Amino acid sequence: MAKRAQPTSRGVESWLPGPAGFITLAAFLTMAAAGCSPSLGSLPCSPPEYHVDPSFAKRGDTVTVSAPEATCNPRYGPNAQVHIVFTDAAGADVLNTTAPMTDAGGFTFTAEVPVQTASGVMAVKAEPHGVDWCDDTGTNNRAHSSDGELERASCAEPMKPLTITK
């Protein structure tokens, strides 16, 4: 009785023998392709990068905070909102509001720089409202528990500078 030759490489034929193996391989490749499809929504999808225009302003000037639609499919929903906060150089939140946002995260928000704003660099924050934008895996990674107490985990808050001049 002849001994069966061993494959010289660890290719597909060595771990998927026979016709069932090719069906398994086809199913695996189909699932992998489906997992990469934004239409099925299985991949993590972060909010789109937002912009502040202009980057220098005076009190009373109009500024625009905007973001394009995401290239993935975050599916924020038909009533999605963006939460926008202006924190001045003195640390005071001089604007804290929500505005409409598209299902794909796009928005345009225009406001006047409040007159009570301190001069210096203001932090402009814009993030999806009511959504765990930091982690799209279904788990809130911004807080974790150790010994029953919640601790804030590392997750950078997006901030853009807006310099307020006199």
Short mmCIF file of all heavy atoms in Angstrom, two decimals, residues 7 9-18 20-22 24-26 28-29:
data_model
loop_
_atom_site.label_atom_id
_atom_site.label_comp_id
_atom_site.label_asym_id
_atom_site.label_seq_id
_atom_site.Cartn_x
_atom_site.Cartn_y
_atom_site.Cartn_z
N PRO A 7 1.41 17.34 1.48
CA PRO A 7 1.60 18.59 0.74
C PRO A 7 2.88 19.29 1.20
O PRO A 7 3.24 19.23 2.37
CB PRO A 7 0.38 19.42 1.09
CG PRO A 7 -0.48 18.62 1.98
CD PRO A 7 0.20 17.33 2.26
N SER A 9 3.30 22.54 0.92
CA SER A 9 2.94 23.85 1.45
C SER A 9 1.66 23.73 2.25
O SER A 9 0.94 22.76 2.14
CB SER A 9 2.76 24.86 0.32
OG SER A 9 1.60 24.54 -0.40
N ARG A 10 1.37 24.72 3.05
CA ARG A 10 0.16 24.72 3.86
C ARG A 10 -0.92 25.52 3.14
O ARG A 10 -1.49 26.45 3.67
CB ARG A 10 0.43 25.31 5.23
CG ARG A 10 1.42 24.56 6.07
CD ARG A 10 0.95 23.22 6.51
NE ARG A 10 -0.26 23.36 7.32
CZ ARG A 10 -0.99 22.35 7.70
NH1 ARG A 10 -0.68 21.13 7.37
NH2 ARG A 10 -2.06 22.55 8.42
N GLY A 11 -1.18 25.18 1.90
CA GLY A 11 -2.18 25.86 1.10
C GLY A 11 -3.58 25.43 1.47
O GLY A 11 -3.80 24.64 2.38
N VAL A 12 -4.55 25.91 0.72
CA VAL A 12 -5.96 25.61 0.96
C VAL A 12 -6.21 24.11 0.94
O VAL A 12 -6.96 23.59 1.75
CB VAL A 12 -6.84 26.32 -0.10
CG1 VAL A 12 -8.27 25.87 0.00
CG2 VAL A 12 -6.74 27.82 0.08
N GLU A 13 -5.53 23.38 0.03
CA GLU A 13 -5.79 21.96 -0.09
C GLU A 13 -5.42 21.19 1.17
O GLU A 13 -5.94 20.12 1.42
CB GLU A 13 -5.07 21.37 -1.32
CG GLU A 13 -3.55 21.32 -1.20
CD GLU A 13 -2.86 22.64 -1.49
OE1 GLU A 13 -3.51 23.60 -1.91
OE2 GLU A 13 -1.64 22.71 -1.28
N SER A 14 -4.53 21.71 2.00
CA SER A 14 -4.11 20.99 3.19
C SER A 14 -5.09 21.16 4.36
O SER A 14 -5.07 20.37 5.27
CB SER A 14 -2.70 21.40 3.61
OG SER A 14 -2.71 22.74 4.04
N TRP A 15 -5.93 22.17 4.35
CA TRP A 15 -6.87 22.33 5.46
C TRP A 15 -8.33 22.30 5.04
O TRP A 15 -9.22 22.35 5.86
CB TRP A 15 -6.55 23.57 6.28
CG TRP A 15 -6.60 24.89 5.58
CD1 TRP A 15 -5.60 25.46 4.88
CD2 TRP A 15 -7.70 25.79 5.50
NE1 TRP A 15 -6.01 26.67 4.36
CE2 TRP A 15 -7.30 26.90 4.74
CE3 TRP A 15 -9.00 25.78 6.00
CZ2 TRP A 15 -8.14 27.96 4.46
CZ3 TRP A 15 -9.83 26.85 5.71
CH2 TRP A 15 -9.39 27.92 4.96
N LEU A 16 -8.60 22.20 3.74
CA LEU A 16 -9.97 22.08 3.25
C LEU A 16 -10.05 20.93 2.24
O LEU A 16 -10.12 21.15 1.05
CB LEU A 16 -10.42 23.39 2.57
CG LEU A 16 -10.59 24.60 3.45
CD1 LEU A 16 -10.88 25.82 2.61
CD2 LEU A 16 -11.70 24.39 4.45
N PRO A 17 -10.02 19.69 2.73
CA PRO A 17 -10.02 18.56 1.80
C PRO A 17 -11.39 18.34 1.14
O PRO A 17 -12.42 18.56 1.77
CB PRO A 17 -9.65 17.38 2.69
CG PRO A 17 -10.15 17.78 4.04
CD PRO A 17 -9.99 19.27 4.10
N GLY A 18 -11.38 17.91 -0.09
CA GLY A 18 -12.59 17.48 -0.79
C GLY A 18 -13.55 18.60 -1.14
O GLY A 18 -13.32 19.77 -0.87
N ALA A 20 -16.44 19.41 0.12
CA ALA A 20 -16.99 20.14 1.26
C ALA A 20 -16.08 21.30 1.65
O ALA A 20 -16.54 22.35 2.08
CB ALA A 20 -17.20 19.21 2.45
N GLY A 21 -14.79 21.09 1.50
CA GLY A 21 -13.83 22.14 1.82
C GLY A 21 -13.99 23.34 0.91
O GLY A 21 -13.91 24.48 1.35
N PHE A 22 -14.25 23.10 -0.36
CA PHE A 22 -14.43 24.21 -1.28
C PHE A 22 -15.73 24.96 -1.01
O PHE A 22 -15.79 26.16 -1.13
CB PHE A 22 -14.35 23.72 -2.74
CG PHE A 22 -12.97 23.31 -3.11
CD1 PHE A 22 -12.66 21.98 -3.31
CD2 PHE A 22 -11.96 24.26 -3.22
CE1 PHE A 22 -11.38 21.61 -3.62
CE2 PHE A 22 -10.68 23.89 -3.54
CZ PHE A 22 -10.37 22.54 -3.74
N THR A 24 -16.99 25.19 2.03
CA THR A 24 -16.65 25.93 3.24
C THR A 24 -15.84 27.17 2.89
O THR A 24 -16.07 28.25 3.42
CB THR A 24 -15.86 25.03 4.21
OG1 THR A 24 -16.64 23.88 4.49
CG2 THR A 24 -15.56 25.77 5.50
N LEU A 25 -14.88 27.02 1.99
CA LEU A 25 -14.06 28.16 1.58
C LEU A 25 -14.93 29.22 0.91
O LEU A 25 -14.81 30.40 1.22
CB LEU A 25 -12.95 27.72 0.61
CG LEU A 25 -12.08 28.83 0.03
CD1 LEU A 25 -11.35 29.56 1.16
CD2 LEU A 25 -11.09 28.27 -0.96
N ALA A 26 -15.84 28.80 0.05
CA ALA A 26 -16.73 29.77 -0.62
C ALA A 26 -17.60 30.49 0.40
O ALA A 26 -17.79 31.70 0.33
CB ALA A 26 -17.60 29.05 -1.65
N PHE A 28 -16.88 30.97 3.59
CA PHE A 28 -15.99 31.85 4.35
C PHE A 28 -15.71 33.14 3.59
O PHE A 28 -15.79 34.22 4.14
CB PHE A 28 -14.69 31.10 4.68
CG PHE A 28 -13.67 31.97 5.36
CD1 PHE A 28 -13.80 32.29 6.69
CD2 PHE A 28 -12.60 32.48 4.65
CE1 PHE A 28 -12.87 33.10 7.32
CE2 PHE A 28 -11.66 33.28 5.27
CZ PHE A 28 -11.80 33.59 6.61
N LEU A 29 -15.38 33.02 2.31
CA LEU A 29 -15.09 34.20 1.51
C LEU A 29 -16.31 35.09 1.35
O LEU A 29 -16.21 36.31 1.37
CB LEU A 29 -14.53 33.81 0.14
CG LEU A 29 -13.15 33.16 0.17
CD1 LEU A 29 -12.76 32.68 -1.22
CD2 LEU A 29 -12.11 34.10 0.73
#
